[in-house]
Amino acid sequence: MSIAIDKDKCIGCGKCHTVCPGSLIKIGEDKKAFIKYPKDCWGCTSCIKECPVYAIKFYLGADIGGMGTFAHTEKDGYILKWIFEHPNGENSEIEINQKESNKY
Amino acid sequence: MKTERLKTDILIIGGGTAGCYAALTISENSDAKVLICEKAHIKRSGCLAAGVNALNAYIVEGKTPQDYVDYAKKDADNIVREDLLLTMSERLNAVTKRLEQLGLVILKDKNGRYVTRGNRNLKINGENIKPILANAVKKLPNIDVLNRVNITDFFVKNNRINGAFGFGIEDETFYIIEANAVIVATGGAAGLYKPNNPGFSRHKMWYPPFNTGAGYAMGIKAGAEMTTFEMRFIALRCKDTIAPTGTLAQGVGAKQINSLGEVYEEKYGITTSQRVYGTVNENQQGRGPCYLQTEGITAEQDNSLKKAYLNMAPSQTLKWIESGKNPSEQNVEIEGTEPYIVGGHTASGYWVDTKRATTVKGLFAAGDVAGGCPQKYVTGALAEGEIAALSAINFVNENNSVPIDEALIEEHIEEAERFLTDNNSHFTTEQLEEAMQTVMDSYAGGIKTNYRFNEKQLDIADEKIVDILKLSENLYAEDFQELMYIYELRERLIVCRSVIAHLKARKETRWHSFAENLDYPDKDDKNFLKYVNSRYQDGKIRIILRDLVEGGTVYEHSY
C-alpha cells in the first residue's frame, strides 16, 4: 500500500505534508510534494482526502494483491466520492454520505 | 543545535485519541496550561487516521458497567484489573455522548436511540473521528500543540517527573519541557515483530506503524513498574489488507470457515486469542486457508460493506475491486497479524492505579500505553484520557513543579548530538530494524513459529536483542527525521527486552497464540493467577509477581 503524487497536478500547498501521520511526505526544492519513504506508508489515505487538486492516489502493492488500480476521493459537501481508475482506462465510483452511519 | 526551553502545567505526550480527550477534559475543568507534544500532526495521528468502524465499548440498554468488566475479564482469562475496567466502563456512555456532540455520526433508530451492534457496539461513521477530536482541541485557548515534536525521555528525579526531552523533526530543535505533571498517551508498540508482508507493504499492518512504544520505553528507562507485557495482541484480520474482521463477522454474520467449508470457531472457542489460535491450527493441520464466509450475501450487503470499509480501512474495498469480485462472490481470507503490545486490546502497559497514576509521581497514563484494562477501544481510551486528566489537575493543584536537573538535560542533548555527528556505523537503522524483527519472529513467538516459543528460544532472543541494542548506539542520522527513526528503533528494542522477560516469567500457557510457551503448554491457576509486572533497575529487568486485584476492591499506589 502506498501513494503516488502527480507532480504536474501538485500545487505545493503542503496539506498532505502536514497531515501525514508518519511524516513521510516532503516538499521538494521544486515546491512539489513527494513521498520520501513509500514503503513506510500505512495506507490511511489522510493525504488523499486533504489534496485540493486530487493529485494524490493510493494503490495496493503487488505483494498484497494490487493490480494497478488507483483510488482518490473528491468531496462535495457531505458527499465523499471515491474514484477508482482501473488499468483498462475505465473509472468506477462509490459515493459515501458522511452524515450516514455505517450499516455494519 | 537549537535548543528551546518551555514550561507548562500539564504536558501531554501524544495527541491521539486519549491525549486529545485528556486535553479537552483539562480545559473544561481547570485553568491549567496544557501542552500537547505530537510527533506527527494531531489531525490524523494515532490509531484513528483512516477512521474506525464502530464504537466497540458501550454499555447498551439492559447491561451494566459490571457486565463489561465481566466480559473483558473472561476474554483475558482473569488477568485484568477489575478496578480499572470498572472505572473505565462507568464513563463509556458519557464520553460517547460527548463524541456525538463534537460531531461524530452515530446511527439512531426512529425514536432517537442508538442502534447497537451486538452487546457492546454502536454503529457510526468513524471516517472523520480524529479530525473531530483535533478540531475540538484546536479551539481551546489554554491548550498549545507542538506538532512534529518527538519526545524521547522523561526527566525524573527521586521518582518524581518534572518534564520531558525531545526534538522537532522539522524545526531541528531540541526541546526541554518543564512540567508539573505529565500524561503519557503515546499508544502501544508496533514493529517489534516481522510483519505479514515484510517487503514493499511492510507498513500495511493492523496497528499504526508509527506507534513505536515510546511511552513504554520512556517509562521502562525511568524505572516505572510495567504490567502484563506477555499478553501480546495478535489481530485476526482480512489477509494482506489487515482490515478488521468484526464488520464481516458481526455485520453480516460471516462465520470462520476452513478450506473444506467447515465452521471451526466453536471447536476452539470464541475469545480473542482462541479465534487466532483456531485459525493457526486449521492451517497447520492442512485445512487452510481460512475464511470469513461472505459468499451468498446480498448485493445490498456488498455495497454497504464496500462503503463501511472505505470509512475505516479503504485498502479492503480496493482489494475487492482489484480482484473483480464482491464479497458475495468470494469468501474473505483471514490471517493472524504479527504480535503487538497494546494496552487498549490486551492488558499490557503501565501499572497504574484507579486515578491512572503510574508508579512515577506526577506521571499519568491513558489509552493503549496504560495496562491492566483491556478491551478499551476508542471510548475506553477517551474515558482513561478523562480520568488521567482529572487526576493530573488534582496533582498540579496540590504539588509545586520541580526544576529539571541540568546534568540530565546535558546527558540527553549529548546523546542526540552524537547520533547526528559520529558517522562510523556499519549498519543503517533500517538494517537493525530488520534484524530486530527477524530475531523476534524466530525466537520470541512470531508468525514464523505460529506464535509459539520455549525458554531456550527466549534466552537466544534476549541475547540477540541486547547485541542489536549495542549496535544501535553507533547509528548515524543525517537529519532529525532519521534521528527519530534511531530513537524509535531503540524504543522498540527496549520494549522487546521487556516482552521477552515477561513471556519467560509466565511459566504457563493461559492464552494460546498471545503467550504460548511450549515448555509449559497448560494453564497453571495455582501459580499464575497473578500479574507479571516488571521494573528496570541498574540495567536489569526485575520481575514482580503481584496478586490479582479482585472485584469489589481497588488498588492505589502508596508512594
Side-chain angles (χ1 to χ4, degrees), chain B residues 108-297:
Chain B
K108 287 177 167 171
D109 64 18
K110 58 179 188 290
N111 299 317
R113 282 186 303 211
Y114 295 146
V115 175
T116 56
R117 188 184 88 172
N119 278 331
R120 297 170 291 273
N121 301 7
L122 296 182
K123 298 178 185 184
I124 62 171
N125 184 327
E127 188 282 321
N128 58 355
I129 186 167
K130 191 63 208 300
I132 286 172
L133 276 169
N135 280 341
V137 166
K138 233 168 54 183
K139 285 184 194 151
L140 299 167
N142 57 337
I143 300 175
D144 285 325
V145 180
L146 271 181
N147 288 310
R148 299 225 142 73
V149 168
N150 183 47
I151 300 295
T152 61
D153 288 275
F154 297 142
F155 289 118
V156 174
K157 199 173 182 188
N158 300 328
N159 201 41
R160 160 78 161 102
I161 196 159
N162 25 68
F165 172 79
F167 49 84
I169 62 168
E170 277 172 2
D171 63 11
E172 310 219 316
T173 300
F174 293 131
Y175 284 90
I176 291 116
I177 300 159
E178 191 179 324
N180 194 348
V182 176
I183 298 172
V184 59
T186 46
L192 309 177
Y193 286 81
K194 188 176 287 223
N196 294 91
N197 297 289
F200 181 75
S201 299
R202 64 185 183 183
H203 270 187
K204 187 57 250 164
M205 48 179 64
W206 166 73
Y207 202 59
F210 318 116
N211 284 16
T212 49
Y216 296 142
M218 288 190 278
I220 292 167
K221 285 190 282 181
E225 187 166 334
M226 296 287 171
T227 190
T228 324
F229 271 25
E230 75 281 10
M231 195 197 284
R232 307 175 302 167
F233 184 67
I234 299 157
L236 186 69
R237 294 267 124 171
C238 302
K239 190 175 184 314
D240 295 335
T241 61
I242 318 295
T245 49
T247 302
L248 296 168
Q250 295 187 46
V252 299
K255 296 273 182 215
Q256 282 175 235
I257 57 166
N258 61 24
S259 62
L260 306 175
E262 300 161 342
V263 176
Y264 64 83
E265 52 197 42
E266 286 92 356
K267 211 158 102 188
Y268 300 95
I270 56 162
T271 67
T272 313
S273 60
Q274 285 164 340
R275 283 180 180 277
V276 176
Y277 175 68
T279 306
V280 167
N281 257 19
E282 288 300 305
N283 272 295
Q284 269 202 310
Q285 289 166 23
R287 293 189 291 273
C290 296
Y291 301 91
L292 277 168
Q293 189 170 29
T294 53
E295 280 178 19
I297 64 171

Side-chain angles (χ1 to χ4, degrees), chain B residues 495-509:
Chain B
V495 176
C496 283
R497 287 206 68 199
S498 284
V499 172
I500 293 164
H502 277 247
L503 286 172
K504 203 177 160 189
R506 187 171 282 286
K507 297 182 189 302
E508 63 159 356
T509 293

Side-chain angles (χ1 to χ4, degrees), chain B residues 402-418:
Chain B
V402 183
I404 301 166
D405 192 330
E406 291 297 321
L408 273 178
I409 295 174
E410 277 313 303
E411 206 177 286
H412 290 309
I413 291 179
E414 271 169 28
E415 183 186 63
E417 281 184 332
R418 190 164 44 78

Side-chain angles (χ1 to χ4, degrees), chain B residues 34-46:
Chain B
V34 178
L35 175 64
I36 300 178
C37 285
E38 162 58 52
K39 74 173 168 181
H41 187 286
I42 64 163
K43 186 167 184 185
R44 290 275 184 181
S45 60

